[in-house]
Amino acid sequence: MDTPTDTVPDASDDERLAPATREFLVREQGLLIDGRRVPAADGRTLPVHDPATGRRIATVACASAADVDLAVRAARRAFEGDWARTTTPERSRAMWRLAELCEAHHRTFRELEILDNGMPWNLGEMMAPLAAEFLRYYGGWPTKIEGRTIPASPMGRRPGETLTYTLREPIGVVGAITPWNSPLAMAVLKLAPALAAGCTLVLKPAELTPLSALLLGDLALEAGIPPGVFNVVPGFGEDAGAALAAHEGVDKIAFTGSTEVGRAIVRAAAGNLKKVSLELGGKSPVVVFADADLQAVIPAATFAAFFLQGQNCMAGTRLFVHERVHDAVVEGIVAFTRTLPVGPGLDPRNVFGPLISREQRERVLGYVQTGRAQGATLALGGRALDAPGWFAEPTIFTGTRPDMSIVREEIFGPVLCVQRFGDGDLASVARAANETIYGLSGSVWTRDVSVAHRMVRLIDAGQVSVNCHAAVDPSIPFGGNRQSGWGREMGEEALDLYLKSKAVTVAL
Ligand code: NAP
Ligand code: MG
């Protein structure tokens, strides 16, 4: 059952889907370049599959370097033309209209995300409203991006003889490259701050999940964002992605994906030394002290690990539990995880969906084998599900050690590794939590405010939460330390990724 079949009828006949979704799936999905949907220059297409069934659901044009080049040129013309002439209130209003259109199309977005990515219903349902919130938040910024005046005395001039100020200008044409794990959110995380700053974009979504980005591109035009401002070129990473990262006409690459590909992006960007921001992998710690509220810890640690089937960068995949509550926490998480309904996201009861592909499932199950071979104790799961699609059981290992590959490497699947700690000093607990090349997210669970805040300082990550895990909001900066990335997306910080500062001095 686990081979994707292109021969069975596609999803466009599925009665559960909205008519607009079915209509979208059967359409010819061209690339979006300069405001028009066009076939790829070489006519290539990509099949798109539903990971919950293995069925083909759509076909999209597949960009290569020639198409990327056309898109970059269109983005340049728009950057110097229509978008540069747009006033800041007009930019805001266009972004707010796009937010409204995302909400108006929320059902189609939900269904596309479920079919394309395999996310459960409740997450699919959150995506269009989340995209709208990002667009509204950043849509408020264009009128508030300001420079400074500086009381300088260049060349020994006296006060009043010169005027020095800074301009904050859009960086230019942005190449955005995104992963498959949360396609609409990943696209909007780049689009919204880039538009607010006055940039134009060429987005290459993951080849496994191109659909919602294409719909977003159509809606951007409907919202009045000029042609060429937002171009969408689905295609393969090593082809379209590499061409975008290396393109001399691109001023900045905003990348989200694996640390390994992040390094390739940096190398490709070296040609014209384009600016680079990177949101990469994670292996985030969840640290539970003995005084924590276990009623809160158990469901939260479960979802921290298994949210989006563990295919999310901020997943809390290393659970450190104080030995006094270790067994209670592990038993609680195992029991709670057993109650999670597993199945396709189109059924609203399911909260745990399939993995993105057969390759991804094989990778995850390979890690499970290695974990057992290296001596970890399998407390739950560890197998593929005997069903169509790419389902794998949520998996929990206890007795894990920092030298095991399941603890060291990002699995990007539903595998939770539990370690225990005793009554030592906080620094040694934090050292264990920091024993990773990553530094993206993390959480601390305790009722002791002093322990909480001391641990917050000791954990090396771009985001640390207390008594919750991974707070997501447009206004909260998000990004990684160490090999989890460069820069911060979300919040005011994200604007800096798309702006450059110009110092101006006038001799009066
Ligand atoms: P990936 O393999 O690194 O791919 C990410 C994107 O890069 C895809 O669009 C991919 O295209 C493209 N790509 C691949 N090779 C390329 C190359 N040589 N040049 C230019 N682009 C290239 O990551 P993934 O498997 O899609 O996603 C999982 C990873 O993303 C995990 O490591 C996860 O932690 C990370 N992630 C991080 C964050 C964050 O905010 N920090 C958020 C989500 C995910 P194709 O897929 O079409 O090949
Ligand atoms: Mg990939």
Side-chain angles (χ1 to χ4, degrees):
M1 289 301 274
D2 59 0
T3 319
T5 49
D6 291 354
T7 48
V8 290
D10 61 29
S12 62
D13 60 357
D14 194 325
E15 294 287 322
R16 292 169 299 179
L17 302 177
T21 309
R22 283 187 265 164
E23 192 274 328
F24 188 84
L25 292 173
V26 296
R27 265 172 59 186
E28 277 197 15
Q29 295 290 344
L31 313 171
L32 177 62
I33 298 178
D34 209 9
R36 291 197 339 219
R37 291 293 212 103
V38 293
D42 60 7
R44 270 199 307 167
T45 58
L46 277 173
V48 183
H49 294 104
D50 173 1
T53 60
R55 293 201 308 174
R56 182 174 60 81
I57 52 167
T59 305
V60 303
C62 178
S64 60
D67 307 290
V68 167
D69 185 55
L70 289 175
V72 170
R73 287 169 195 277
R76 176 65 58 192
R77 283 193 300 277
F79 178 69
E80 289 169 359
D82 287 342
W83 201 229
R85 282 192 292 274
T86 305
T87 67
T88 51
E90 285 167 349
R91 236 193 273 159
S92 293
R93 281 198 297 274
M95 293 178 70
W96 291 327
R97 277 195 299 275
L98 180 54
E100 278 159 27
L101 286 168
C102 285
E103 285 171 337
H105 290 260
H106 83 273
R107 181 166 172 196
T108 294
F109 274 122
R110 181 226 295 147
E111 293 172 347
L112 291 182
E113 293 294 78
I114 289 173
L115 287 173
D116 203 355
N117 161 273
M119 66 177 62
W121 174 284
N122 61 342
L123 295 183
E125 180 73 354
M126 280 163 53
M127 291 301 147
L130 187 74
E133 287 315 319
F134 274 90
L135 285 159
R136 288 208 181 85
Y137 171 83
Y138 284 106
W141 272 108
T143 52
K144 301 171 191 72
I145 295 170
E146 297 167 345
R148 296 178 292 149
T149 56
I150 300 174
S153 333
M155 292 91 65
R157 309 271 175 129
R158 310 305 304 171
E161 291 176 1
T162 55
L163 168 65
T164 297
Y165 63 93
T166 58
L167 289 173
R168 292 175 84 205
E169 300 176 318
I171 207 161
V173 173
V174 173
I177 300 177
T178 51
W180 43 259
N181 68 334
S182 197
L184 177 63
M186 293 296 139
V188 168
L189 272 175
K190 314 283 187 234
L191 177 69
L195 289 183
C199 295
T200 59
L201 287 89
V202 177
L203 167 68
K204 194 213 76 73
E207 127 263 334
L208 290 170
T209 57
L211 297 177
S212 54
L214 287 166
L215 176 57
L216 183 68
D218 292 344
L219 297 180
L221 290 167
E222 197 178 326
I225 294 171
V229 171
F230 179 38
N231 306 276
V232 184
V233 288
F236 290 95
E238 48 285 15
D239 184 4
L244 188 59
H247 201 293
E248 299 275 325
V250 171
D251 299 300
K252 184 229 155 62
I253 286 282
F255 173 77
T256 299
S258 59
T259 294
E260 184 194 343
V261 175
R263 272 190 267 276
I265 298 286
V266 170
R267 286 192 293 269
N272 68 340
L273 288 173
K274 56 177 70 67
K275 308 295 177 268
V276 177
S277 53
L278 303 169
E279 292 284 347
L280 307 176
K283 193 77 187 178
S284 298
V286 173
V287 184
V288 179
F289 287 88
D291 69 335
D293 173 2
L294 299 193
Q295 297 309 311
V297 166
I298 286 164
T302 305
F303 284 116
F306 299 138
F307 166 78
L308 266 171
Q309 295 78 255
Q311 302 170 125
N312 80 86
C313 54
M314 52 206 181
T317 46
R318 293 180 304 135
L319 177 63
F320 297 85
V321 193
H322 189 279
E323 58 195 8
R324 269 203 299 285
V325 291
H326 175 275
D327 292 355
V329 168
V330 170
E331 279 159 28
I333 293 176
V334 167
F336 183 65
T337 304
R338 282 188 207 280
T339 69
L340 301 181
V342 179
L346 282 183
D347 182 338
R349 287 167 302 188
N350 294 328
V351 299
F352 189 90
L355 302 187
I356 188 69
S357 64
R358 181 164 48 167
E359 294 70 35
Q360 181 73 0
R361 182 168 74 177
E362 278 168 9
R363 205 178 102 85
V364 170
L365 296 177
Y367 271 108
V368 173
Q369 272 186 348
T370 311
R372 299 177 79 158
Q374 292 181 345
T377 306
L378 188 63
L380 186 72
R383 288 170 309 186
L385 241 61
D386 185 18
W390 320 126
F391 290 91
E393 293 173 331
T395 298
I396 301 172
F397 277 112
T398 57
T400 65
R401 294 185 315 267
D403 60 303
M404 293 176 171
S405 12
I406 52 170
V407 176
R408 296 164 63 89
E409 295 168 26
E410 185 187 44
I411 300 174
F412 222 59
V415 180
L416 174 63
C417 296
V418 188
Q419 299 179 54
R420 59 170 81 215
F421 64 89
D423 290 318
D425 58 345
L426 293 185
S428 62
V429 180
R431 247 193 321 276
N434 289 336
E435 203 167 345
T436 163
I437 60 166
Y438 299 109
L440 191 59
S441 186
S443 59
V444 178
W445 298 76
T446 174
R447 289 182 164 104
D448 183 328
V449 287
S450 160
V451 168
H453 289 286
R454 282 159 60 206
M455 284 298 292
V456 164
R457 282 174 176 265
L458 290 168
I459 291 179
D460 187 4
Q463 180 176 74
V464 185
S465 309
V466 177
N467 295 332
C468 60
H469 187 84
V472 174
D473 182 275
S475 63
I476 302 179
F478 180 80
N481 296 351
R482 297 187 277 175
Q483 294 186 38
S484 287
W486 288 349
R488 295 289 180 268
E489 291 194 320
M490 310 201 211
E492 188 176 352
E493 274 93 333
L495 293 167
D496 294 334
L497 304 178
Y498 300 97
L499 291 165
K500 55 191 177 188
S501 160
K502 179 180 284 171
V504 183
T505 295
V506 186
L508 296 172

